[in-house]
């Protein structure tokens, strides 16, 4: 069975300028895939092409086995799209607008009223159904945007930074809606908020400068990046002796004093211990190394305040990937390149009017 959404080697250029380059993704029913990346990474471009609002320069998009190029209507019928700035008609009431959108999305006439009432209830819009969209708060407008995206019951929902500009309560509601939708359908959404991605997604795709740097379950990405275990140790004892003893444990690559400096308590030192990767020469199972670290400290007669395995966070994965990609580029071109200049100019000019 084909995946709900398949993106193969998608490239989109704006004139000569790179939007996205060679991006491949796939999404199954019941999955929420988060596109994560800094400003200008190509998230919006990817979502627009996937939703059929921008033509690709190269590559293919298929939804439920239908190719976007060969059967654009089949695809658009199966996708709901909440753009970063939904084109809502301010002079229409919420009810009329959703009715109009259900018609555009080709909901059969006999079902339109039922579908509209359904999304109004589901998105808690009953109180504002008769009001003009232009007079609604940002949070309500965003919910109307989501309502139009799901009014035709598409199996795939695409949302571009759906929680931007919302207050904390609305953010929680929007996330709950996305999560709920993801359970029955398939959701592709973008964000540059790592905690949001971790919270909502079964899989993450990290983008930077138009390219996909990595994708996988958040836990797999963090494990893959670290590759080797790490421990944080706080112990009462002489710094040099403790460090030397820990560094000598089999499977340890390096033990060093933690950069945060003195821990406050007299005579207590903080250290970071890096293990060797389990598969590499001299590598051992992380648990076995951890046990030996503890035994070594006990043998030295040094009271242990803390000994814990350090998890790599998604933040670290993100920073590491985007930094190493940048370094590789700079090494290749001798400078940060035309993109960086253009982005700096863009940053200097403020964000493109989206965050009002
Ligand atoms: N209409 C356009 N014309 C020319 N270049 C564009 C256009 N839209 C986007 N770009 C460029 O394509 C690249 C990717 O932009 P995109 O908007 O997809 O990034 P993004 O990840 O959504 O960023 P943000 O986090 O700021 O929303 C950027 O370099 C951007 O300047
Ligand atoms: Mg964007």
């Amino acid at each position: 069975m084909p995946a709900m959404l398949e993106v193969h080697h998608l490239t989109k250029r704006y004139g000569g300028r790179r939007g996205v380059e060679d991006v491949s993704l796939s999404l199954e029913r019941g999955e929420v895939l988060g596109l994560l990346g800094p400003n200008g990474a190509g998230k919006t471009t990817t979502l627009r092409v996937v939703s059929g609002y921008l033509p690709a320069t190269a590559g293919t998009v298929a939804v439920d086995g239908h190719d976007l190029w060969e059967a654009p209507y089949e695809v658009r019928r199966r996708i709901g799209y909440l753009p970063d700035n939904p084109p809502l008609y301010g002079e229409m009431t919420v009810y009329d607008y959703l009715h109009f959108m259900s018609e555009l999305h080709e909901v059969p006439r006999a079902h339109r009223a039922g579908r509209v009432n359904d999304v109004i209830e589901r998105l808690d819009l009953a109180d504002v159904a008769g009001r003009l969209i232009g007079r609604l708060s940002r949070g309500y407008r965003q919910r109307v945007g989501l309502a139009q995206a799901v009014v035709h019951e598409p199996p795939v929902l695409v949302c571009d930074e759906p929680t931007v500009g919302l207050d904390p309560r609305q953010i929680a509601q929007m996330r709950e809606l996305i999560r709920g939708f993801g359970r029955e359908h398939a959701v592709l959404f973008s964000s540059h908020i790592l905690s949001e991605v971790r919270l909502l997604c079964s899989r993450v795709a990290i983008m930077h400068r138009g390219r996909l740097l990595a994708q996988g379950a958040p836990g797999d990405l963090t494990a893959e990046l670290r590759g080797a275990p790490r421990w944080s140790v706080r112990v009462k004892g002489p710094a040099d002796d403790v460090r030397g003893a820990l560094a000598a444990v089999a499977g340890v690559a390096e033990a060093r004093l933690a950069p945060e400096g003195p821990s406050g308590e007299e005579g207590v030192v903080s250290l970071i211990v890096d293990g060797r990767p389990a598969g590499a020469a001299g590598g051992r199972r992380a648990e076995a190394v951890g046990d030996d670290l503890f035994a070594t400290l006990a043998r030295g007669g040094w009271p242990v305040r803390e000994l814990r395995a350090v998890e790599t966070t998604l933040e670290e994965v993100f920073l590491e990937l985007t930094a190493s990609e940048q370094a590789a580029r700079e090494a290749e071109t001798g400078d940060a390149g035309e993109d960086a200049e253009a982005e700096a100019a863009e940053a200097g000019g403020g964000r493109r009017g989206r965050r009002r």
Side-chain angles (χ1 to χ4, degrees), residues 62-81:
V63 174
D64 204 11
H66 299 278
D67 183 89
L68 176 59
W69 184 251
E70 286 163 11
Y73 293 106
E74 294 298 327
V75 169
R76 287 178 75 160
R77 192 173 298 155
R78 288 170 173 79
I79 286 195
Y81 176 44

Side-chain angles (χ1 to χ4, degrees), residues 5-14 17-26 35 41-62 67-69 158 188 207 209-212 215:
L5 172 69
E6 292 270 12
V7 177
H8 276 300
H9 304 293
L10 177 71
T11 292
K12 171 68 190 176
R13 295 197 194 93
Y14 296 102
R17 191 188 172 83
R18 184 201 304 159
V20 299
E21 184 92 17
D22 197 22
V23 166
S24 295
L25 297 167
S26 84
L35 276 188
K43 305 181 295 295
T44 295
T45 301
T46 304
L47 301 183
R48 284 192 184 142
V49 174
V50 164
S51 312
Y53 284 84
L54 270 182
T57 305
T60 60
V61 173
D67 183 89
L68 176 59
W69 184 251
V158 173
L188 175 62
M207 292 189 76
R209 295 176 182 281
R211 291 179 196 276
L212 201 61
Q215 71 173 304

